[in-house]
Amino acid sequence: MPHADSAMIPAGLDKAAFWEHVHEQLSYLLDGQRNWVTNLANASSLIYNALQAFPDFGTGERMVNWCGFYLNSELFPAPQLTATTVEARDDQPARLLLGPFCGKPACQLINVAPGLARGVCADAYCQRKTVLVRDVDAYPGHIACDGETKSEVVCPLLLTVNGEEKAIGVLDLDCLALSGFDEQDQAGLEKIARLVVGACDW
Ligand code: SME
């Protein structure tokens, strides 16, 4: 099957079956590849395009306008070190850096250092819990990358290192409708986040 066809959605699926289908298609796409840039690029494209093909689960119209990842900046390849860059890196507070995504351009850096953390992604990352936002304007600290976004869901990417669960990034989805995501979406996305984390070398 051509890779692009993995985002095609069979007719007649309910929401739970939709997320099961996306999970299964993603497991095929990730098979045999452990590079996180490659895998997160395909994961964001698959989720985004599957949702475009199936935006309405019977509860009203919705349109997902952004789907992507923010990762702990330490996971990105280090620049060639010089005295200046070493100094600059030592001074940097903990932050998330924009990773693979589908949608319009978005903010590159999100602060997650104590006292500086702000926004939905930072909260999901710092609390290691999914944050479901039915109205972004009512969410304290929400960072508006696109003024048209009305609701959002952010799942942490959780990796177990030496028996300890660590957040390494987040999976973020935005929607043009209020209450665009619910607990069923949350469950589907959390399962996908676990699949993606387990499929990559970090
Ligand atoms: N709204 C997010 C920022 C990322 S964009 O939505 C792509 C937040 O509050 O963290």
Side-chain angles (χ1 to χ4, degrees), residues 66-83:
W66 203 88
C67 171
F69 294 89
Y70 284 90
L71 285 306
N72 183 311
S73 55
E74 287 168 12
L75 290 166
F76 286 76
Q80 208 170 2
L81 294 180
T82 64

Side-chain angles (χ1 to χ4, degrees), residues 73-118:
S73 55
E74 287 168 12
L75 290 166
F76 286 76
Q80 208 170 2
L81 294 180
T82 64
T84 324
T85 53
V86 168
E87 218 169 274
R89 283 163 75 82
D90 285 349
D91 279 354
Q92 293 289 347
R95 65 229 161 108
L96 299 177
L97 195 51
L98 180 62
F101 71 94
C102 276
K104 291 183 182 169
C107 60
Q108 295 100 323
L109 282 174
I110 295 178
N111 230 313
V112 288
L116 296 172
R118 182 174 76 87

Side-chain angles (χ1 to χ4, degrees), residues 66 70 106-107 110 118-122 141-145 152 172 174:
W66 203 88
Y70 284 90
C107 60
I110 295 178
R118 182 174 76 87
V120 190
C121 292
H142 170 256
I143 299 167
C145 292
E152 179 163 5
D172 180 13
D174 291 350

